[in-house]
Amino acid sequence: MIKSRDAAFAEESAEVEVLFAEAAKFDNISKKIKASLARLEGGAKVVKDSIGPVYSNTQSLQTMNENIDGILAAIDKMLVPSVDQDHEKKIVRAGPGKVGLPEYLASLKRIDRALSQMLERNLRVNQQAIGDCNELMSEGSTQLQKLFRFDLASSFQLVEPLHYITKQLPFPTIAEHFVSELSVIDKFISRKDGPYNQRDSPSVRIYAEIRGPYLSGSLQNLSTASMTTSKKKAADEIYRQGTSGIGTYANGIEEIFLAEYQTISAIFSRDAWGPAFELTCQKAMADFTKTIRELNNHIKSNLTTDCFLAYEMIEIISQVSFRLDSKTGELKNTFADALKPIRETAKSSIPELIEDIRRRFQSMTALPLDGSSIPYTTEVMNRLQTMTLYPKSLASILTSLGDGNWTSKSPNNFGASSTSLPSLKSFDVGADGNQLLSHYIIDTMETLLTSLDAKARTYIKTKALHGVFMANNVAVIDRTIRTSSDLSSILSSVGAPAKIDSWRKKGTSSYLDSWREPCSALLDVQYTNRGGRPPSGSHGVIDSAAVIKGLGSKDKDAIKEKFKTFNTSFDELCSRHKSMGMEREVRIQLAREVQAMIEPLYTRFWDRYHEIDKGKG
């Protein structure tokens, strides 16, 4: 039993050893397998890392190949000409006159479209084609500009502005069919995507080159007439309103410019209206400015008589400038620059007219021997009367000077440039133009009357003649004011009548001073202690015989001497009165003053003493 067990145990042990040997063998195999798997995984990774970029590059190459195929297709498509250059070249070279403007413009538009496409692609292979298209476009533009110039030249014909102004006819414009063609040409030349903008367009320049001489040439006669009509025959003749042709000239400029602006508006786009209009009018405005300068030189040479032409020019040209600016929005500054020398001359004339009064009296060496008024008084009043015809221009000038600044020729108010600093008074925007003008007229008359009085005191020795002289000149002044509705209206608000009346009273008082001698002869002495008080006035009747009877012989001789003295003095003064030169109203007025002074005294004296020589005194 025990042996069988040992044999079984030994057998089992042998089997176990075999199993352990197999297990060890399998373990070695497992390790080898693991090592192989590890090597396999490493190799697979190496393969993966090697094959991955190749696969990715293969995909990129496939995409690139597709793109290249697309590019080649696009290049093939672009290389196919979008315009038949030979055909378009024939049209462009033929010109719009042969093929017609619509066909010509259509060809240029096709070339321009093809050129835009090639420029957008920017391919080197198209550079030659781009150059050819640019050449064709340049040539086509030149042909259109020639046609534009030809159409304008075909409608060029100078006009006589006076014909249209006098008959109140509208100024002619370019024919409608020319306007339509010119407008079409300008739209292509000045197109937004073209080489020119609206303001620098060749069509604007060509238009100004053709139409500028038309304007200046048509207005030339009016310019010449303005100079001719402004020249006067007599050196001391005061300019009369409307004599110069400058008003007609300005009116002609306004009408022909508006007609031209109408044409410009029909041809060009809105952005080009202003530049085209201003450039076209440049030559005509230069001629106008030159005419104004020449007239200004003429006015400065005859300032005291022709300054009124300057006032007239300011009013006329300012109104024309305002109307043109309101309708076109242009040329306002051009007119202002042209008018500047006239405004300066007109401004300098204001104090100069007052200064002229002082100079004239300083150089005056004699006065009328009969006390009559001097012609210079009439001349000064005619000046003032003429000034009232230009209230608008004078209101502007006087406001710029400032109230009262015309009384002295200081640098700040006489002939000063508009660039100089103005006085504070010139900023008084509430200043009334008529009020300033009335102040100026009053100051002028005061200067005149003061100068007359000072000169009379020097050259007239008798008070009576002095008084008559002043009264005559005052009468001339007063008559001028009364017969001028404008002058009287302006002066009514500043108390001019009262000032004139004060000078009239001074003259009358001086004249009546000589009549005191005959008046003194009519004065007598009455003694109230010699009987009853004699009746006076009209309430009692004087008995001349009774009065004479009560006088002594010496008193009677004295009364007779008084009669004689009065008669002699009265006759002498009457003779002198008649010999004096008097204005009609002065003679009447002084006669009444003398009558009012003498008659009461003489009536009383006569009533009392006429019986002393039995009525023969």
Side-chain angles (χ1 to χ4, degrees), residues 81-97:
S82 60
V83 62
D84 187 351
Q85 289 193 14
D86 293 336
H87 175 68
E88 305 300 350
K89 185 181 294 185
K90 290 180 181 179
I91 295 176
V92 171
R93 297 282 168 81

Side-chain angles (χ1 to χ4, degrees), residues 309-334:
L309 174 58
Y311 309 152
E312 182 176 88
M313 290 174 66
I314 292 173
E315 286 198 1
I316 292 174
I317 297 173
S318 297
Q319 291 172 4
V320 168
S321 173
F322 175 78
R323 290 193 295 266
L324 277 173
D325 180 65
S326 65
K327 295 177 182 178
T328 68
E330 303 294 333
L331 301 180
K332 182 178 180 181
N333 292 334
T334 307

Side-chain angles (χ1 to χ4, degrees), residues 417-469:
S417 172
S418 59
T419 59
S420 61
L421 291 176
S423 64
L424 291 176
K425 290 184 178 180
S426 64
F427 290 100
D428 185 11
V429 295
D432 184 279
N434 283 339
Q435 186 178 21
L436 289 174
L437 181 56
S438 65
H439 291 173
Y440 176 75
I441 292 174
I442 287 294
D443 287 347
T444 302
M445 292 193 303
E446 188 68 26
T447 302
L448 173 63
L449 288 168
T450 303
S451 301
L452 285 167
D453 186 57
K455 187 60 66 173
R457 292 181 187 278
T458 303
Y459 287 97
I460 299 177
K461 302 305 180 183
T462 64
K463 294 186 67 174
L465 193 60
H466 182 180
V468 170
F469 174 76

Side-chain angles (χ1 to χ4, degrees), residues 171-464:
F171 275 74
T173 56
I174 297 177
E176 185 63 32
H177 66 280
F178 280 126
V179 170
S180 300
E181 189 166 280
L182 291 169
S183 177
V184 172
I185 295 173
D186 174 70
K187 284 181 180 178
F188 180 80
I189 295 177
S190 306
R191 62 194 184 281
K192 291 183 179 180
D193 55 347
Y196 308 105
N197 57 39
Q198 295 290 341
R199 293 179 176 271
D200 300 330
S201 171
S203 55
V204 171
R205 174 178 50 79
I206 294 170
Y207 187 92
E209 289 176 358
I210 301 297
R211 299 297 292 178
Y214 157 75
L215 295 178
S216 59
S218 297
L219 294 168
Q220 183 58 46
N221 288 340
L222 293 183
S223 174
T224 304
S226 297
M227 291 301 304
T228 304
T229 54
S230 297
K231 296 179 180 178
K232 53 191 179 181
K233 297 180 180 179
D236 58 347
E237 180 183 358
I238 293 179
Y239 173 79
R240 289 182 292 108
Q241 188 179 36
T243 302
S244 173
I246 190 66
T248 305
Y249 189 12
N251 190 19
I253 285 179
E254 178 182 6
E255 296 299 328
I256 201 170
F257 278 16
L258 288 176
E260 200 65 24
Y261 187 78
Q262 179 182 347
T263 302
I264 289 172
S265 302
I267 293 176
F268 299 101
S269 63
R270 181 66 184 87
D271 293 341
W273 290 359
F277 181 64
E278 188 169 352
L279 193 61
T280 303
C281 298
Q282 192 174 59
K283 179 66 169 62
M285 284 303 300
D287 293 342
F288 184 58
T289 302
K290 180 181 178 182
T291 302
I292 290 178
R293 285 200 304 268
E294 292 176 354
L295 286 174
N296 184 56
N297 292 333
H298 168 74
I299 293 170
K300 290 169 71 174
S301 301
N302 306 273
L303 190 58
T304 57
T305 56
D306 285 358
C307 59
F308 311 103
L309 174 58
Y311 309 152
E312 182 176 88
M313 290 174 66
I314 292 173
E315 286 198 1
I316 292 174
I317 297 173
S318 297
Q319 291 172 4
V320 168
S321 173
F322 175 78
R323 290 193 295 266
L324 277 173
D325 180 65
S326 65
K327 295 177 182 178
T328 68
E330 303 294 333
L331 301 180
K332 182 178 180 181
N333 292 334
T334 307
F335 274 103
D337 292 340
L339 200 56
K340 184 177 179 180
I342 286 292
R343 287 191 62 86
E344 294 301 326
T345 300
K347 188 176 178 181
S348 68
S349 70
I350 298 300
E352 174 62 21
L353 291 176
I354 294 181
E355 189 64 23
D356 179 69
I357 295 174
R358 300 189 180 101
R359 284 199 305 268
R360 291 285 289 270
F361 277 99
Q362 287 175 359
S363 61
M364 198 174 292
T365 57
L367 293 177
L369 298 177
D370 60 354
S372 57
S373 61
I374 59 174
Y376 186 64
T377 300
T378 303
E379 180 182 335
V380 171
M381 292 310 298
N382 286 340
R383 286 182 193 169
L384 297 179
Q385 186 176 3
T386 306
M387 291 182 82
T388 62
L389 302 176
Y390 311 102
K392 294 180 180 179
S393 57
L394 283 171
S396 172
I397 294 168
L398 293 173
T399 301
S400 66
L401 279 173
D403 194 358
N405 285 344
W406 48 73
T407 55
S408 64
K409 295 174 63 174
S410 65
N412 288 334
N413 56 42
F414 177 65
S417 172
S418 59
T419 59
S420 61
L421 291 176
S423 64
L424 291 176
K425 290 184 178 180
S426 64
F427 290 100
D428 185 11
V429 295
D432 184 279
N434 283 339
Q435 186 178 21
L436 289 174
L437 181 56
S438 65
H439 291 173
Y440 176 75
I441 292 174
I442 287 294
D443 287 347
T444 302
M445 292 193 303
E446 188 68 26
T447 302
L448 173 63
L449 288 168
T450 303
S451 301
L452 285 167
D453 186 57
K455 187 60 66 173
R457 292 181 187 278
T458 303
Y459 287 97
I460 299 177
K461 302 305 180 183
T462 64
K463 294 186 67 174

Side-chain angles (χ1 to χ4, degrees), residues 396-591:
S396 172
I397 294 168
L398 293 173
T399 301
S400 66
L401 279 173
D403 194 358
N405 285 344
W406 48 73
T407 55
S408 64
K409 295 174 63 174
S410 65
N412 288 334
N413 56 42
F414 177 65
S417 172
S418 59
T419 59
S420 61
L421 291 176
S423 64
L424 291 176
K425 290 184 178 180
S426 64
F427 290 100
D428 185 11
V429 295
D432 184 279
N434 283 339
Q435 186 178 21
L436 289 174
L437 181 56
S438 65
H439 291 173
Y440 176 75
I441 292 174
I442 287 294
D443 287 347
T444 302
M445 292 193 303
E446 188 68 26
T447 302
L448 173 63
L449 288 168
T450 303
S451 301
L452 285 167
D453 186 57
K455 187 60 66 173
R457 292 181 187 278
T458 303
Y459 287 97
I460 299 177
K461 302 305 180 183
T462 64
K463 294 186 67 174
L465 193 60
H466 182 180
V468 170
F469 174 76
M470 291 302 299
N472 281 328
N473 285 282
V474 170
V476 171
I477 294 173
D478 184 56
R479 186 193 309 137
T480 304
I481 295 173
R482 285 186 287 103
T483 55
S484 172
S485 58
D486 293 332
L487 199 56
S488 59
S489 175
I490 291 174
L491 294 177
S492 61
S493 61
V494 291
K499 295 182 179 181
I500 293 174
D501 192 53
S502 67
W503 279 100
R504 183 189 293 111
K505 288 179 179 178
K506 290 180 182 178
T508 302
S509 176
S510 295
Y511 174 74
L512 292 179
D513 189 67
S514 62
W515 288 86
R516 297 184 185 279
E517 182 180 351
C519 288
S520 64
L522 298 176
L523 299 176
D524 60 341
V525 178
Q526 296 184 22
Y527 298 96
T528 57
N529 59 351
R530 297 181 182 177
R533 180 175 180 175
S536 61
S538 59
H539 300 290
V541 178
I542 299 176
D543 186 353
S544 178
V547 172
I548 296 300
K549 186 177 181 180
L551 296 176
S553 59
K554 290 184 179 181
D555 292 334
K556 290 179 181 181
D557 291 340
I559 294 299
K560 289 180 180 181
E561 187 62 29
K562 284 181 177 290
F563 268 116
K564 182 179 179 180
T565 301
F566 171 79
N567 290 335
T568 302
S569 179
F570 185 81
D571 290 342
E572 181 182 350
L573 289 173
C574 285
S575 177
R576 193 182 302 170
H577 179 87
K578 293 176 182 179
S579 67
M580 292 180 181
M582 298 184 189
E583 301 293 327
R584 181 175 178 275
E585 54 266 49
V586 172
R587 190 172 294 280
I588 294 174
Q589 186 253 336
L590 290 181

Side-chain angles (χ1 to χ4, degrees), residues 96-97 101 141-153 181-182 185:
L101 183 61
S141 178
T142 301
Q143 293 279 9
L144 289 176
Q145 291 176 35
K146 288 181 179 179
L147 179 60
F148 194 86
R149 184 183 295 274
F150 176 79
D151 286 350
L152 286 173
E181 189 166 280
L182 291 169
I185 295 173

